[in-house]
Amino acid sequence: MILLAGSFDTKAAEFAHLRDVLVARGEQVLLVDVGTSGVPGLVADVTREAIARAGDVTLGDRDRADRAPVLAGMAEGLRRLALERADDLTGAVAVGGSGAVALAAPAFVALPLGMPKLLLTTMAEVAAQATSGSDVIVVPSPVDFAGLNGLTRLVLDRAAAMVSAAAAVPEPREGGRTVAVTMFGVTTTAATEAARVLASAGWEPVAFHANGAGGRTVERLVRDGRIAAVLDLTTTELADELLGGKATAGPDRLGAAARAGIPQVVSVGALDIANFGPPDTVPARLRSRTMSQHGPLDTLVRTNSEDGVRLGEILAEKLTAATGPTTVVLPEGGFSSLGAAGGAFADADADAALVQSLVTRLSENIRVVHAGVPLDTADFGRIAAQELLALLPPSEMDRHRHPHIA
Amino acid sequence: MILLAGSFDTKAAEFAHLRDVLVARGEQVLLVDVGTSGVPGLVADVTREAIARAGDVTLGDRDRADRAPVLAGMAEGLRRLALERADDLTGAVAVGGSGAVALAAPAFVALPLGMPKLLLTTMAEVAAQATSGSDVIVVPSPVDFAGLNGLTRLVLDRAAAMVSAAAAVPEPREGGRTVAVTMFGVTTTAATEAARVLASAGWEPVAFHANGAGGRTVERLVRDGRIAAVLDLTTTELADELLGGKATAGPDRLGAAARAGIPQVVSVGALDIANFGPPDTVPARLRSRTMSQHGPLDTLVRTNSEDGVRLGEILAEKLTAATGPTTVVLPEGGFSSLGAAGGAFADADADAALVQSLVTRLSENIRVVHAGVPLDTADFGRIAAQELLALLPPSEMDRHRHPHIA
C-alpha cells in the first residue's frame, strides 16, 4: 500500500491524479490529508482531523500566529500514523512546496530504510536538508503544483511509476547474511581484512564509516532487521558523543544490536579520537589535549585517561545490556593507526585506563579476547572476524564444504 | 537507452549489476566509464579515454596534484557526450560518492528537463547542492558502494526499477498546448486572470515564479520544446540582473523564446523591483534608493529612471531578436501592486522612462498594446491573455465550439 500525503485543499487535483495512476498500476493507496486550511477537495482515508488528533493539536483556530505549532503537530501526527501503519506500507509519496516538506519529512525519515519514499517538491534543497541522513528520495519538480497540465502530469506520472516500480522490487532473498562492519580511516586495515574473512566464510560484510551517519545507519538497519550480525570494530562515535565531537551517532549507539539480540563482536577502534571541525570549533576545555590537524576542516582530539575510564563504563553498560551472544576483542598497542606506537596519538596509559575500566565492569557471560596486536592490523581484523564467525551459524557455503556439520 | 556513468574501476560490480537488471527489464544501456584511476573491471561503451578526449584532458599523468583539473575535464567530457547523445537517451543513472557526484552532476543538469536522471549516492547533500535548480533526482544510499551485498543490491535494483519505469511513462499526448505564465507576488492578480482566460480557451497555462529559478526554468523548457507560447507578464528578473539582485535568471532571460520563434506576449511586470537579502546585502551604491522591507531576509529596491532607460534598451534588444510573433502589452499606473498608485514603489516618472525607452527602440513588426490599466489587475491579465490567444492557432476546443474555423 502506497501512502500519499499532502494538503488536499490546494493539491486535490494532483493527489486524485496520483491515486488514479497508482490504482491503474494495481497499487492500493492510503490517502492522508495533512492540510490545515481551505476545504479538502478529495476524500481522504485518513482525514486532517484524525492527523491533528494523532499530533495532539486542534485545527479549529487557524490564526496566523498559531500556525507554526499546528503545522508541527500535523507533522508529528503524520509521523505517528505512518509508523503505526508502516507494516502495511510498501512506499510513500508527498507532494508540495516547503510546507509539504515540513509536514512530510519527519514521517518519511522515520519510515524503514529501503522503503521507497518520494518527496516530490518545488523546494528540493529544503527537502534535502529536511531529510538529511535518511534515504528519502527528493524528486525536484521544475513546475509548480497548481493544477494539472501536461508538465505536472508528466512529473506526477513519473513519480507514481517510480514508487510503484521500486515497491515491486522484492527484498533480496539472500537477506539474513549481511554483517555490518564499522570502520574509520584509521581502522581500515583491520576492517578490510575482517570483511575479507567474513566474505570468504559466505557472509556479506557491509562496511559503514563510523562518522556519525554510519553508526546511526547501522543502528537503524539492525532495528529494521536487515543485519544478521555486527562486527563493531570501530566504536569511536562514543568518544564524540562523550566529548561533544561532530561524529557522534547519538547516545543510543550500540543499543539496537543489544536489544535485537543479534551476535556481535565489539572493539575499541578509534576510541582514542574525537572529531571536531576547524581548530576554533574545539571547546576551550579540550584545547590542552593532544590534537592532530587532519585537513583544515578536521581537528582530531585525543581522548585522555579520564575519558577512557568513562568510555569503559559506557561500553560495559551497553554490552551488559546485550541479549545476544557478545564478544569483546581488545588490542594491544593502540586503538587506531594514529594511536599505534610512534603515532601522534600513542598513549598507552589512556588506552590501558579504558581497557581496565571496561574489563572490570563487564558481566561474566561476555567473552573477552585479548588479541595481543594493535587494532589497525590485519591480524586484529582476522581475529575479530573469527570470533564473530564462532557466534554465527555455519553458512550454506560452510555446510557445503564440511557436510559433517549439521 | 539509459546512460550509466561512473568509475568502472571501484564500481565495476555495481554497474555490471545495474546493466544486467536494466537489460532484463528490456532496456538498452550506454555504459560510460569516467574513472581516472585503477583498471576498469567492466567493458565500457564509451571508455574513459574517449571521455578524457571529449573533455580535453589526458589521463596519463595521475599525480595527486593534477587530479582536480583531470576530474573537471572528465566531468566536462561526460557533459559533452551526454548532450551529443541526448536524443538517444531516455534516462540516466550515476552511482558513487562525492567524486561521482562531481563527475556526473554537470552532465545530468545539462540533460533535458523531464528525462529521469538519478544520482545514486552516499553523499546526498553534496549531490543536492551540485544539482540545485535542476530536476535531477538524488537517491540517497544508506550503504556504501564497495561490492555487492543484499543491501547494495536492493538499492541498485530499486534505482534501476525507478529509472526504467519513469522512462517508460510517455510524454503527455496533449503536449504542445502548454503556455508559460510568469508571475511574482506583486503580479498575481494579473497572472491568475490571464491563466484563467488561457485555460478557458483550451490551453494549459503553467505559472512560474519569476524569482530567478522560475525564469531559468521557463528558458530551459522553451529550449527543450516543452512550451508552446509564453505570456511573459513578469520580466522582473532583468531588473535583478541589471542591479545585481538575487532573483536574476541570468543575462539570457527572454532569449530562448526569441530563438525558438514561439509566440510571446511580453510585459514589464515587477520591473520596478530588484530583490536583495537582509538590508546589509544591498550594495552601497543603491542605499539611497526607495526600499521596502519584505520580511527580514528580503529587501526590495526600487529601480529608478536611469535603470528604466537601460531596462527599456535591454527589453527592446531582446524582443527585436525574436523570430516568432511578439506583442508587447504595457500598463498605465504601475508595473506591480507595490508600484501602483499609493503603493510604496509608485513612481510614474521611472515607469515612463522605461516605457519610452522601450517603445522608441522596438522594431516596427512588434505589436505594442497600451492596456491603459495598472499591471497587477485582472483587466491587464485579460488583455494580455487575449493578445496571446490572437497569436496562437485555434485550440481543439475552439475548433469544436466554432466548427467554421478551419
Side-chain angles (χ1 to χ4, degrees), chain B residues 108-135:
Chain B
F108 280 28
V109 168
L111 282 168
L113 283 173
M115 180 191 293
K117 301 164 291 270
L118 273 58
L119 214 39
L120 183 54
T121 178
T122 49
M123 303 294 282
E125 277 180 282
V126 174
Q129 281 159 17
T131 57
S132 168
S134 78
D135 70 338

Side-chain angles (χ1 to χ4, degrees), chain B residues 315-350:
Chain B
L315 268 176
E317 188 187 339
K318 287 177 178 289
L319 298 178
T320 301
T323 55
T326 300
T327 298
V328 172
V329 181
L330 294 169
E332 182 67 49
F335 295 178
S336 71
S337 59
L338 211 60
F345 276 11
D347 182 345
D349 289 347

Side-chain angles (χ1 to χ4, degrees), chain A residues 114 132 150 153 158 174 204, chain B residues 114 125 150 153 158 174 204:
Chain A
S132 168
R153 259 193 291 270
R158 291 201 158 146
E174 71 275 53
E204 291 196 335
Chain B
E125 277 180 282
R153 260 193 291 269
R158 290 202 158 145
E174 70 275 54
E204 291 199 334

Side-chain angles (χ1 to χ4, degrees), chain B residues 187-213:
Chain B
T187 65
T188 305
T189 308
T192 305
E193 175 65 8
R196 196 194 61 73
V197 172
L198 291 168
S200 68
W203 295 85
E204 291 199 334
V206 184
F208 295 89
H209 266 85
N211 57 2

Side-chain angles (χ1 to χ4, degrees), chain A residues 143-169:
Chain A
V143 287
D144 274 348
F145 297 105
L148 291 176
N149 54 60
L151 290 166
T152 51
R153 259 193 291 270
L154 182 65
V155 170
L156 292 165
D157 289 356
R158 291 201 158 146
M162 286 194 286
V163 75
S164 171
V169 172

Side-chain angles (χ1 to χ4, degrees), chain A residues 114 125 128 132 134 136-138 140 142 144 149-150 153-154 157-158 161-162 165-166 169 172 174 204 206 208-209 217 226, chain B residues 114 125 128 132 134 136-138 140 142-144 149-150 153-154 157-158 161-162 165-166 169 172 174 204 206 209 217 226:
Chain A
E125 275 180 284
S132 168
S134 77
V136 173
I137 299 167
V138 175
D144 274 348
N149 54 60
R153 259 193 291 270
L154 182 65
D157 289 356
R158 291 201 158 146
M162 286 194 286
V169 172
E174 71 275 53
E204 291 196 335
V206 184
F208 294 89
H209 266 87
T217 303
R226 294 182 173 278
Chain B
E125 277 180 282
S132 168
S134 78
V136 173
I137 299 166
V138 175
V143 288
D144 274 349
N149 53 61
R153 260 193 291 269
L154 181 64
D157 289 357
R158 290 202 158 145
M162 286 194 286
V169 172
E174 70 275 54
E204 291 199 334
V206 184
H209 266 85
T217 303
R226 293 182 173 278

